[in-house]
Amino acid sequence: MNILHQQHEDRAIGERSSVKDDAIQQVRARIQQATCVTVLTGAGISADSGVPTFRGPEGLWKNFRPEQLASSKAFERDPQLVWGWYNWRRELLATKTPNPAHFALAEMEGHVRNFLLITQNVDGLHITAGSKRVAEIHGNIWKVRCTVCQQVTINREVPLPLLPSCSCGGLLRPHIVWFGETLPAQVLEQSFNALQECDLLLIIGTSGLVYPAASFAPVAKDHGAYVVEVNLDPTPHSDLVDLSIQGRAKDIVPQMLSGVF
Ligand SMILES: [Zn+2]
């Protein structure tokens, strides 16, 4: 009885993996045909590099919830506290490196005529991996912005002073889109243009629940794109997309590009 049960399970796993192989083969063909590819990435691709979400218990700092720190109100009230949190996150992120999924996407960019990588992640790992055409819709934790002259600069110093200042004397803040703030208009416009023009949209490691990313798959689909989702679990978009592949980004994404270029 046990042996039969075991055999049945083996067969089921085998069937599932061959379905996955077929799906990956289909994506390879789509990538080969595409002249315009847009990619959307989220926390799932960073999780494969050991980046915590900063929402779960492992991401809490001094028992503050991110909502209590990531807002302009919190920063106005206590900039040192907010910078303390960002210094802690920068210190943690400085130890993280891109994984094979980041590198595969950076390589893909070099082979596709029109390419844009839209990311919700602020850790900068795509840029470290070599991606150049990146729309960071939520900002980048390695950039600072002056609260007076608005100049944005890259700054990888860890830790920064608790009240870092610009050359103009103004207080610097993280170049991050905080709760209650609008997303940068130019980056959004660039993203929606890419979504409307692409033949292929790859959604990697995001459940797509948060606006505006939630609208990305429907927009691309309405404009005729083939939409592929790679995520650990099914998402609210799984029924809308053309292909939904469950698995780790660091395993699936390199497989999707293997032998394509
Ligand atoms: Zn300034």
Side-chain angles (χ1 to χ4, degrees), residues 146-151 166-172:
C146 178
T147 53
V148 176
C149 73
Q150 305 302 323
Q151 199 189 357
C166 174
S167 52
C168 81
L171 176 64
L172 295 173

Side-chain angles (χ1 to χ4, degrees), residues 63-91:
N63 287 325
F64 286 102
R65 283 177 289 110
E67 294 83 353
Q68 294 173 285
L69 300 165
S71 75
S72 50
K73 243 186 207 147
F75 190 70
E76 275 163 32
R77 195 165 46 226
D78 194 345
Q80 296 201 24
L81 177 76
V82 174
W83 265 119
W85 182 51
Y86 276 97
N87 271 332
W88 173 74
R89 291 178 62 181
R90 284 162 66 106
E91 219 163 294

Side-chain angles (χ1 to χ4, degrees), residues 63-159:
N63 287 325
F64 286 102
R65 283 177 289 110
E67 294 83 353
Q68 294 173 285
L69 300 165
S71 75
S72 50
K73 243 186 207 147
F75 190 70
E76 275 163 32
R77 195 165 46 226
D78 194 345
Q80 296 201 24
L81 177 76
V82 174
W83 265 119
W85 182 51
Y86 276 97
N87 271 332
W88 173 74
R89 291 178 62 181
R90 284 162 66 106
E91 219 163 294
L92 193 146
L93 288 171
T95 66
K96 307 300 179 195
T97 50
N99 66 63
H102 292 104
F103 288 117
L105 292 173
E107 196 202 328
M108 186 182 185
E109 176 179 332
H111 296 282
V112 180
R113 204 184 308 154
N114 291 307
F115 181 92
L116 184 69
L117 197 168
I118 306 167
T119 187
Q120 296 168 286
N121 302 334
V122 299
D123 51 46
L125 287 176
H126 284 297
I127 290 168
T128 308
S131 285
K132 299 208 163 41
R133 280 170 276 172
V134 184
E136 294 177 312
I137 58 172
H138 292 163
N140 183 318
I141 202 161
W142 302 111
K143 289 180 180 170
V144 292
R145 185 167 82 238
C146 178
T147 53
V148 176
C149 73
Q150 305 302 323
Q151 199 189 357
V152 176
T153 46
I154 295 172
N155 186 323
R156 296 193 75 96
E157 199 183 326
V158 174

